[in-house]
Amino acid sequence: MKSRITRKPIDPAQALESVMDDDAGGTVLFVGTIRNQTNGKRVKGLEYEVYRRMAERRIAKLEEEIRRRWPVKSIRLVHREGKLKVGEVSVVVAVSAVHRGEAFEAARYAIDRIKESFPIWKREKFRRGRYAWVEGTPIQTYPASVPASEQHTSPREIVRQRTRSLVEA
C-alpha cells in the first residue's frame, strides 16, 4: 500500500501492516470515520471533493517533511474521495518509528496537516437530500511543505490559480 487519494474503501489493517517494521519500537494507526451527526443534526453521509493532483503532491511533501523531523521507519497517508456512508473510513494515517513518542507525534502532525492544508472539501448529506458544505479550518500552509505562493489561500482561489497556470502553460 502506498500513500494516496482513493475512491476505493480504505482497509486500516492493510495500512497498519504496510508500516510494520522490526526496527520500530512504536507503531500508530489513526482511522478517521464518517460519523452519524454533526452539531446535533443527523448525517446520512458525506462527499469529499479533492483537487487530486495538488493533494497527491502535498502527500509526498508531507511524507518527506515527517521523515526529516522524526526517525520514522515507514508512513502511509490515505484519504478517500467521493461519496461515503456513515461508518466508512475516510482517512488513515499509519506511522512506525524507532520510539512510540515519535510515532505518536508524527501521526498527530500528519493528520493535523492533512486537515489544515490539503485541498480536500467535504459536504455533509442530511435528510431529504439536503447537503451542506462543512466549514473547516481555512487552509494553512507550513514553510517546509508548501510553496509560499500557496500560503493562506482559499480553496476556490487555489483552484483558480492552478486552472489559470494550466491554461497559460
Side-chain angles (χ1 to χ4, degrees):
M1 170 181 270
K2 69 176 208 160
S3 295
R4 68 192 186 284
I5 302 295
T6 184
R7 288 193 155 277
K8 296 178 181 174
I10 301 169
D11 180 357
Q14 187 180 11
L16 181 61
E17 186 178 325
S18 75
V19 300
M20 297 301 287
D21 189 302
D22 288 342
D23 289 336
T27 302
V28 172
L29 175 67
F30 171 80
V31 179
T33 56
I34 306 303
R35 61 179 174 262
N36 67 359
Q37 59 78 34
T38 187
N39 298 324
K41 294 180 187 174
R42 288 288 289 155
V43 172
K44 292 180 75 177
L46 199 85
E47 183 176 0
Y48 284 101
E49 284 194 19
V50 179
Y51 184 6
R52 186 182 273 255
R53 243 178 44 194
M54 180 187 261
E56 288 178 343
R57 283 195 307 262
R58 292 252 175 112
I59 286 173
K61 288 179 181 179
L62 180 57
E63 282 188 354
E64 290 171 16
E65 179 183 357
I66 288 170
R67 289 181 188 285
R68 281 193 307 269
R69 294 182 69 162
W70 291 278
V72 300
K73 293 296 180 180
S74 194
I75 183 166
R76 293 297 173 273
L77 310 171
V78 184
H79 201 292
R80 285 287 302 273
E81 174 180 22
K83 294 181 180 181
L84 283 76
K85 296 176 183 171
V86 169
E88 284 191 79
V89 175
S90 59
V91 62
V92 166
V93 172
V95 178
S96 61
V98 176
H99 301 288
R100 72 178 181 277
E102 294 154 343
F104 275 111
E105 288 172 19
R108 176 65 184 251
Y109 185 82
I111 191 62
D112 287 348
R113 296 298 80 76
I114 289 169
K115 298 285 283 180
E116 295 173 352
S117 67
F118 277 45
I120 299 172
W121 302 275
K122 63 183 178 179
R123 254 182 2 157
E124 291 173 319
K125 182 179 181 183
F126 299 100
R127 288 196 284 183
R128 298 186 189 103
R130 283 190 247 152
Y131 282 88
W133 288 104
V134 175
E135 279 199 43
T137 307
I139 287 185
Q140 303 292 314
T141 57
Y142 299 87
S145 61
V146 180
S149 64
E150 296 176 8
Q151 292 187 7
H152 304 289
T153 305
S154 72
R156 283 196 174 116
E157 183 58 28
I158 290 170
V159 172
R160 260 189 247 117
Q161 287 173 0
R162 292 292 177 181
T163 304
R164 221 179 3 246
S165 40
L166 289 174
V167 170
E168 292 168 357

